[in-house]
Amino acid sequence: LWAGQSITFFGSQVAFLAFPLVASLSLGATPLQLGLLAALGALPGLLGLVAGGRIERLPRRRLLVGASLARGLLLLAIPAAAVAGALRIELLYLVALLGGALALLADVGAQALLPELVAPDELVAANSRLELSRAGAELAGPAVAGALLQFLAAPLVLVVDALGYLVSAALLAGVEAPQAPPPPAPEGFWRELSAGLATVWGSPALRWLLGCAVTVSLFNASLEAALFIYVPRELGVPPGLLGLIFALGSLGALLGAA
């Protein structure tokens, strides 16, 4: 699980840099289009409360393997369209939306699977290792993506990213863990949604964490949408240096995980 998730984290960070650069440099996307692209990628997160309840009733290993395979194949649609001369911003919108949904399933599924693999007193150490991999990917992923973008067109870099997801799927297929029987669920979509909201809102700690996460995500997304227009186009910063800039910004996450 650790190896498979580490590759997934790395792939997500490569796509983080390559994806908007495809829109900005290959398609000449406007600020509005880049903002919409980021919004569509984040939109599936609104279904997180419902997704958690559904994932609790699914075989988690197969879910993770399927999500990795689907993400890899989905990314391959972009370079395939570029080679065929049919790459359009609408395809990026679709890939961002579906990719965001698959990322949500994979993240929640992995978090649900971890307690079934390690003892309760090992959870902190196991989570720390996963977060160390995530932070390391945030440090190395943009730098590697930027270096690749110096020599390859942005759509072709996504081929490398897609292959990483396929390797991740192969590793996750080797995870073996018994799945605990799911708890009884409220009947119906709205009851499940309200139960999740009540749990979060009923805990002061979870309320503050939710507010923090929403605030950070809002301003990070706003900043990133502006950066991918301003830095490469108006400052003329090459992709390699842009990747290094994002990598240096992740040093804090690496220290925090450690």
Side-chain angles (χ1 to χ4, degrees):
L1 178 67
W2 188 13
Q5 286 297 95
S6 296
I7 293 176
T8 297
F9 296 152
F10 185 80
S12 297
Q13 289 303 312
V14 172
F16 165 76
L17 188 67
F19 207 76
L21 285 180
V22 171
S24 181
L25 300 180
S26 300
L27 296 176
T30 66
L32 177 60
Q33 288 173 324
L34 272 180
L36 182 57
L37 187 64
L40 287 171
L43 183 62
L46 296 174
L47 301 176
L49 288 170
V50 179
R54 292 290 178 262
I55 287 170
E56 201 162 23
R57 293 162 186 83
L58 296 173
R60 309 209 226 291
R61 181 177 65 88
R62 278 189 281 175
L63 177 72
L64 290 174
V65 172
S68 289
L69 284 174
R71 290 169 85 178
L73 295 174
L74 194 62
L75 281 179
L76 287 175
I78 295 174
V83 170
L87 184 59
R88 295 173 57 86
I89 192 69
E90 290 81 6
L91 175 62
L92 295 187
Y93 291 158
L94 179 63
V95 173
L97 181 63
L98 295 179
L102 291 168
L104 172 69
L105 291 175
D107 287 347
V108 177
Q111 291 171 25
L113 180 61
L114 187 62
E116 297 173 7
L117 298 178
V118 300
D121 60 351
E122 296 174 328
L123 268 177
V124 172
N127 271 310
S128 180
R129 290 174 188 175
L130 283 168
E131 287 306 309
L132 193 62
S133 290
R134 190 192 301 271
E138 290 178 1
L139 186 65
V144 171
L148 289 173
L149 286 162
Q150 291 290 117
F151 305 103
L152 297 174
L156 294 180
V157 173
L158 292 174
V159 175
V160 179
D161 198 15
L163 293 176
Y165 280 117
L166 299 182
V167 173
S168 173
L171 289 167
L172 292 168
V175 175
E176 293 183 7
Q179 181 164 331
E187 295 179 3
F189 172 86
W190 293 111
R191 287 191 181 183
E192 190 156 280
L193 181 60
S194 61
L197 287 170
T199 299
V200 173
W201 200 251
S203 165
L206 288 179
R207 281 204 308 271
W208 282 106
L209 285 171
L210 176 63
C212 177
V214 169
T215 306
V216 169
S217 296
L218 172 65
F219 288 101
N220 267 350
S222 303
L223 176 65
E224 288 158 7
L227 278 175
F228 280 114
I229 288 284
Y230 178 66
V231 176
R233 290 189 191 174
E234 299 191 31
L235 297 184
V237 171
L241 182 55
L242 181 60
L244 183 60
I245 290 169
F246 277 107
L248 290 174
S250 301
L251 283 173
L254 189 66
L255 291 172

